[in-house]
Amino acid sequence: MTIVNKIKSFFTTIRSFYPLELIFGNIKYNLVSLLYWFILFAIVSDNYASSFGVPFLFLSPEYLGEVNHWGFILLGFSFGGFSIGFLTYSYIKLGPRYPFLATVSRPFFRFSINNSFIPIVFIIYYCVRMVDFQINEELASTSDVIIYLISTLSGISLFILLSLLYFFPISRNLNIILPIEPNSKNPISSLTNQKDKWYDYFRKDKRRKYYYLGKGWKIFQSRLVSHLHRDVVEQVFAKNRINAFFFELITIVAFVVLGFLRDYKAFEVPAAMSIVMLLTIIHMLYSTITSWFNNWVWPILIFVFFGMSIISVKQDIFRYTSYAFGLNYSSKDKIEYNVNHIKKACTDHSMMTESKEKYILLLDKWKSKQTNEKPKLVILNTSGGGSRSALWTFIVLDHCNKQTKGKLTKNLQMITGASGGMLGASYYRELLYRKNLGLIKENEITAYKSKLSKDLLNKLSFSASTNDLFMRFKTFKYNNYNYTRERGEAFEAHLHENTDGWLEHSLGYYQKPEQNAQIPVMLFAPTIVNDGRRLIMSSQNMSFLNEKKSIQDKAMYENIDYQTFFKGDKPEEIRFSSVIRANATFPVIMPMMSMPTVPEIQLMDAGIRDNHGGKLTIEYLFALNEWIQENTSGVIIVECRDNKRLIYDDKFEQMSLAQKIFVPFLNMVYNFDRRQDYHQEQLLKLCKNSFDFPVDILTFNLRQKREERISLSWRLTKKEKMKIADVINSKENQLVLDQLNELLNN
């Protein structure tokens, strides 16, 4: 035998190895299934949705409020289900392309063994990543890691065992005696009599023999199947399609049941498990639809989607409303959201005058509690950034207040910002209020930061991946109104659970304490998606901020005061946590909040317009310029930023072809914060010279170097919590603290 023939024989043998052939078969015919595996690999490798903390849900699954072995067992169980779902769909999709399976005992089992390369690689990779994450990020002990590893593998094994009991005993009866079709009428048989062609090596037909993993994990060579009758072969595979259908049905029912039982603690499975189950169901539903409609799948799905979209304009069934709890959505006389009503609300001069007079009384009350004749007025600007910003803002306020001996919070008059930063500020303000009422001691406040840093992502993700996306059948009552449960409600419920229900008040609850200068005023400014305006939400009427909002007598009406616009709908009764959520509604993670208007106002994260509150602060200072100049010695703007304005270790590399294509679009996302910083820095430079009082800007930065990554999510690891707590003691932040002390004392 020549070297060429030997090489040819070698590659022929390699290509005839059935597990390898199935890898190529999946790539060629089963890309949809591989897409789901790609998503899981990307998540576990921390390359997909890492900014939102989704990998943490997989690498450190939480069950019943803590990371334990049960969470890993349940997650492993879902991995097993996803793997069996993949093998089932692959068998339906690829099995008929390999008719020799009809000649072996238990064809589905043999196929699954030979097609298990991808699931096995994923499980191994997940285990490696999980062990590394638990040791380095969660700081888990070796014994805990071993338990987690065993638990994961146990969960996977348990599902596979159940599958063995369901699928494979049925498959034993499929090794039937197959009749033989007359050779003379078989076109494949006729081909065998022809001389081999050069392209035969690249062809895949029924003549090929495969080497497959069979009984006892031994390698067997398949039998020729060109003589088999097509109908009989189809009969073999059809029986397993029926089994697959019932498997899909059971999984879907289990998924729906979880949604029904979400209020019971025991059924609050790890969010990662519900995500995997969702992927499994979508995968299997797609396989079912594909088997019914073949090549018509995508046209039908597109038609259904646009049909649902059209219907949702007139009907609520597909609208998926996320509510602001405490407001009335059943009223037949809803406020119209149109230009005329916006103009009316933004040009009500009597209301503007009244609101400004009341706010000046509030400022006078604040001044009366100061020790200096002309005190420094402190404003807090806090950036969005999920749990990291919430914890960082709390730590900065707590640390600075201690170091200034209470002068910071005494001088703090207004707070604004976005997302997580406003959550942290809200919780600290509530603790400050309770301290002033004598309900807690000042030295106890620091201990509450652990409650703020608890997980907020698990219930949110669980709700999103169970009933929230498909059917919303659970309701609850608040303030005598019925609302549908969805992931926005799940977020608020989890927040109240973590913070002992101390933020479960109405917005109006804080009106008097703010007016009496017991606590600083908070201004929330979620973005109105409909037209890009901002809804200024506060317990106080802030309509005076709309003064001097015109260019050449053409008003822009950028800000809509919430109290004025919803004046007849009891705006003060909205739940305070709903206001926090509206201000922190990051796309995809949480649904846009719908307000009771016609058409519905859709609210989204304040960070879309003003992630650090700088622009709203400037408008605030301009509106109150005269009072501040007469009654204070200047303004101190304290910034709590989760990212430094300018990170000096930025590195820029030559762009690839793909980057040149996609960067113009991705730039809108990646440089979102930076574009706002450029804009606001320029605005501040222009405005500072226009103020009749000094303005000092002090910035506390969390992330100072690019490699100091802390996830933008509602979940933090132990290591991340420690890192956030340590940053306040950095040289740079301590210098800022010294400046703050100096300004407050002088």
Side-chain angles (χ1 to χ4, degrees):
M1 185 180 284
T2 63
I3 292 178
V4 175
N5 288 335
K6 286 182 179 179
I7 293 174
K8 182 180 178 181
S9 177
F10 174 76
F11 281 107
T12 301
T13 304
I14 294 295
R15 191 170 180 272
S16 298
F17 188 54
Y18 192 48
L20 184 63
E21 170 63 26
L22 284 174
I23 293 174
F24 290 113
N26 279 302
I27 295 172
K28 188 174 182 180
Y29 302 109
N30 197 21
L31 276 176
V32 173
S33 290
L34 295 186
L35 174 64
Y36 294 110
W37 281 114
F38 178 80
I39 292 172
L40 286 179
F41 270 106
I43 291 174
V44 172
S45 64
D46 206 17
N47 287 306
Y48 180 72
S50 58
S51 300
F52 307 132
V54 175
F56 297 169
L57 300 176
F58 284 77
L59 300 172
S60 193
E62 190 174 283
Y63 180 63
L64 299 180
E66 60 181 12
V67 178
N68 53 38
H69 65 284
W70 286 112
F72 284 96
I73 289 174
L74 291 169
L75 180 58
F77 191 81
S78 67
F79 283 152
F82 183 81
S83 300
I84 295 298
F86 162 73
L87 294 172
T88 303
Y89 178 65
S90 300
Y91 182 74
I92 294 171
K93 190 79 173 177
L94 301 178
R97 298 182 180 275
Y98 307 100
F100 82 87
L101 290 171
T103 67
V104 303
S105 65
R106 300 189 291 183
F108 178 65
F109 178 72
R110 299 301 174 207
F111 175 87
S112 299
I113 293 295
N114 286 270
N115 196 37
S116 57
F117 176 79
I118 295 175
I120 289 173
V121 170
F122 173 78
I123 291 166
I124 293 172
Y125 182 69
Y126 170 79
C127 290
V128 172
R129 286 282 299 129
M130 183 271 289
V131 169
D132 179 71
F133 185 86
Q134 286 295 326
I135 292 174
N136 295 312
E137 294 294 331
E138 292 290 2
L139 309 177
S141 64
T142 303
S143 59
D144 284 339
V145 172
I146 294 172
I147 291 171
Y148 297 158
L149 188 61
I150 294 172
S151 299
T152 304
L153 297 176
S154 298
I156 296 169
S157 302
L158 178 61
F159 195 97
I160 293 174
L161 178 62
L162 293 174
S163 300
L164 288 170
L165 297 174
Y166 173 73
F167 278 107
F168 305 137
I170 301 174
S171 301
R172 289 193 187 99
N173 298 323
L174 298 179
N175 189 24
I176 61 178
I177 299 174
L178 302 166
I180 297 175
E181 193 176 22
N183 218 21
S184 61
K185 296 182 179 180
N186 193 331
I188 300 295
S189 296
S190 63
L191 288 173
T192 61
N193 300 321
Q194 297 181 12
K195 187 177 180 180
D196 289 345
K197 303 292 191 298
W198 66 271
Y199 51 77
D200 282 350
Y201 179 77
F202 302 96
R203 285 175 46 171
K204 185 173 79 175
D205 55 43
K206 296 181 181 181
R207 292 175 297 157
R208 185 176 305 155
K209 292 184 178 181
Y210 294 98
Y211 297 94
Y212 65 93
L213 296 174
K215 190 175 181 180
W217 296 91
K218 296 179 180 179
I219 297 176
F220 293 85
Q221 189 178 34
S222 67
R223 291 154 53 184
L224 287 172
V225 292
S226 58
H227 61 288
L228 297 183
H229 195 288
R230 182 179 298 175
D231 292 341
V232 176
V233 175
E234 283 294 324
Q235 183 183 356
V236 174
F237 293 109
K239 290 188 177 183
N240 278 103
R241 288 195 188 102
I242 296 171
N243 297 340
F245 171 77
F246 283 108
F247 175 75
E248 294 168 2
L249 186 63
I250 292 169
T251 307
I252 293 170
V253 170
F255 200 71
V256 173
V257 168
L258 275 177
F260 269 109
L261 300 174
R262 55 177 286 186
D263 295 333
Y264 298 94
K265 278 284 187 181
F267 293 94
E268 287 182 8
V269 299
M273 178 183 181
S274 56
I275 293 171
V276 175
M277 286 182 67
L278 179 63
L279 289 176
T280 306
I281 287 174
I282 294 174
H283 188 192
M284 291 192 297
L285 285 176
Y286 178 80
S287 73
T288 303
I289 297 171
T290 303
S291 65
W292 290 346
F293 301 105
N294 295 320
N295 295 329
W296 284 94
V297 172
W298 285 108
I300 290 172
L301 289 176
I302 293 170
F303 176 80
V304 169
F305 174 78
F306 282 104
M308 291 169 61
S309 182
I310 293 169
I311 294 171
S312 68
V313 176
K314 299 293 183 181
Q315 301 293 330
D316 294 337
I317 185 171
F318 299 124
R319 200 172 291 166
Y320 300 138
T321 301
S322 183
Y323 301 95
F325 305 118
L327 299 183
N328 183 11
Y329 287 78
S330 59
S331 174
K332 295 181 180 179
D333 300 319
K334 292 181 180 177
I335 299 168
E336 291 188 10
Y337 188 73
N338 52 43
V339 175
N340 290 331
H341 195 183
I342 293 170
K343 183 179 179 180
K344 183 181 178 181
C346 295
T347 57
D348 189 339
H349 296 291
S350 62
M351 178 64 75
M352 289 180 186
T353 303
E354 184 184 348
S355 71
K356 189 170 185 177
E357 289 174 352
K358 286 185 176 180
Y359 200 86
I360 287 177
L361 290 175
L362 183 154
L363 289 172
D364 290 338
K365 188 71 173 178
W366 170 84
K367 184 186 176 183
S368 69
K369 294 191 173 184
Q370 307 302 316
T371 53
N372 296 337
E373 183 180 353
K374 283 194 172 186
K376 288 286 186 180
L377 187 145
V378 179
I379 294 174
L380 175 67
N381 286 174
T382 178
S383 69
S387 288
R388 71 185 185 195
S389 286
L391 182 58
W392 174 238
T393 301
F394 187 102
I395 288 172
V396 169
L397 285 171
D398 188 47
H399 185 81
C400 290
N401 201 44
K402 286 179 179 177
Q403 296 301 314
T404 60
K405 298 179 180 178
K407 291 182 180 179
L408 173 66
T409 54
K410 188 176 183 178
N411 288 55
L412 183 60
Q413 199 281 315
M414 192 272 282
I415 302 172
T416 190
S419 192
M422 290 295 277
L423 169 58
S426 296
Y427 189 50
Y428 189 85
R429 187 182 74 155
E430 175 65 28
L431 294 173
L432 188 69
Y433 184 44
R434 288 175 176 266
K435 186 263 296 184
N436 293 337
L437 293 176
L439 299 176
I440 60 173
K441 297 178 181 179
E442 187 169 357
N443 58 6
E444 294 176 343
I445 292 178
T446 304
Y448 286 98
K449 71 179 181 183
S450 61
K451 292 181 179 291
L452 187 64
S453 62
K454 286 183 177 181
D455 170 72
L456 283 170
L457 191 59
N458 198 69
K459 278 189 179 180
L460 180 64
S461 303
F462 175 71
S463 178
S465 53
T466 49
N467 59 293
D468 192 35
L469 295 179
F470 296 107
M471 56 187 89
R472 299 177 178 181
F473 38 75
K474 301 279 289 186
T475 61
F476 80 108
K477 183 172 283 188
Y478 180 80
N479 200 22
N480 296 319
Y481 300 123
N482 284 316
Y483 302 99
T484 305
R485 291 189 182 274
E486 33 80 36
R487 64 187 186 277
E489 183 273 333
F491 174 83
E492 290 188 39
H494 208 166
L495 174 62
H496 296 316
E497 184 181 324
N498 289 353
T499 56
D500 301 312
W502 288 4
L503 293 175
E504 197 171 1
H505 308 293
S506 67
L507 179 63
Y509 172 81
Y510 294 105
Q511 187 180 64
K512 289 295 182 182
E514 289 178 358
Q515 291 173 350
N516 293 329
Q518 292 173 285
I519 52 174
V521 174
M522 295 195 76
L523 300 186
F524 298 85
T527 304
I528 300 175
V529 178
N530 307 55
D531 54 17
R533 290 182 169 90
R534 295 185 298 181
L535 186 65
I536 309 301
M537 305 183 76
S538 172
S539 61
Q540 310 300 319
N541 189 302
M542 304 299 294
S543 58
F544 66 86
L545 292 178
N546 288 321
E547 290 181 326
K548 301 176 182 180
K549 289 289 186 188
S550 64
I551 302 174
Q552 297 179 348
D553 297 323
K554 293 183 180 179
M556 297 292 291
Y557 313 129
E558 179 187 8
N559 299 328
I560 299 176
D561 178 62
Y562 167 74
Q563 296 283 354
T564 303
F565 195 83
F566 292 92
K567 183 169 58 175
D569 286 356
K570 300 180 179 178
E572 71 282 356
E573 292 187 1
I574 186 174
R575 193 159 73 177
F576 185 62
S577 57
S578 291
V579 177
I580 295 173
R581 174 164 63 89
N583 206 61
T585 300
F586 197 86
V588 182
I589 303 300
M590 283 197 289
M592 294 185 295
M593 182 178 288
S594 302
M595 300 298 285
T597 59
V598 180
E600 292 178 342
I601 293 176
Q602 301 293 329
L603 299 182
M604 201 162 65
D605 201 303
I608 302 297
R609 290 290 314 278
D610 189 4
N611 194 43
H612 307 94
K615 191 172 184 295
L616 187 57
T617 295
I618 291 171
E619 293 174 337
Y620 179 87
L621 295 178
F622 265 117
L624 299 168
N625 180 66
E626 293 181 4
W627 188 94
I628 295 173
Q629 189 238 340
E630 292 176 4
N631 294 276
T632 73
S633 58
V635 172
I636 304 173
I637 300 175
V638 177
E639 292 185 327
C640 290
R641 295 179 60 95
D642 68 333
N643 272 305
K644 199 174 181 178
R645 247 189 202 89
L646 183 62
I647 297 179
Y648 292 98
D649 65 339
D650 270 347
K651 294 180 180 179
F652 307 99
E653 298 177 352
Q654 186 69 31
M655 290 186 184
S656 65
L657 176 62
Q659 287 174 323
K660 287 184 178 181
I661 295 172
F662 293 110
V663 158
F665 306 99
L666 295 176
N667 177 268
M668 302 295 291
V669 177
Y670 291 151
N671 293 320
F672 191 77
D673 263 7
R674 188 163 292 185
R675 288 199 310 276
Q676 288 194 12
D677 285 337
Y678 292 147
H679 173 72
Q680 291 191 11
E681 186 176 12
Q682 185 180 24
L683 193 62
L684 271 170
K685 285 180 180 178
L686 294 171
C687 293
K688 280 182 72 174
N689 297 325
S690 303
F691 294 137
D692 298 321
F693 48 83
V695 177
D696 294 284
I697 302 173
L698 306 180
T699 305
F700 292 92
N701 291 301
L702 172 59
R703 185 178 176 226
Q704 301 179 8
K705 294 182 179 180
R706 190 158 295 280
E707 67 269 14
E708 297 174 349
R709 177 200 145 189
I710 301 174
S711 61
L712 173 61
S713 85
W714 295 112
R715 172 86 179 271
L716 297 170
T717 66
K718 288 182 181 179
K719 190 175 181 179
E720 286 177 331
K721 293 174 186 178
M722 293 171 61
K723 191 182 293 185
I724 295 170
D726 289 341
V727 171
I728 191 65
N729 297 313
S730 70
K731 184 179 179 180
E732 184 176 303
N733 286 324
Q734 286 300 306
L735 287 172
V736 177
L737 179 59
D738 292 339
Q739 290 178 294
L740 178 62
N741 254 317
E742 185 178 348
L743 287 168
L744 289 174
N745 289 323
N746 294 329

